[in-house]
Amino acid sequence: SAVRCRPLVLAAALSAVIAALVSGVVVARLYRSKVGGFTGDALGCAVELGELLVLLALAAILPRIGGVP
């Protein structure tokens, strides 16, 4: 049997993806304006910041919707 996702769980996943994308754009703009381009450190920062925001978004949303089915 297929696992059906509730709409709120999909909304939580979508908010996590948006948080990761926003963090990538913010880091990219910051490094472009301050350093003039990307470095490996900038990419690492974007990855870590994106991961942190995804976890924070899910931690904030999932308890309110009753967790994951």
Side-chain angles (χ1 to χ4, degrees):
S1 69
V3 175
R4 295 186 324 177
C5 290
R6 295 182 290 179
L8 292 176
V9 174
L10 293 176
L14 182 60
S15 67
V17 169
I18 290 171
L21 290 173
V22 168
S23 71
V25 169
V26 168
V27 169
R29 292 183 132 204
L30 179 70
Y31 267 82
R32 225 177 250 149
S33 69
K34 300 291 183 185
V35 180
F38 270 24
T39 64
D41 289 341
L43 295 175
C45 176
V47 167
E48 294 300 323
L49 184 59
E51 184 177 334
L52 175 66
L53 290 176
V54 165
L55 292 174
L56 288 174
L58 291 175
I61 293 171
L62 287 178
R64 290 190 171 95
I65 62 174
V68 179

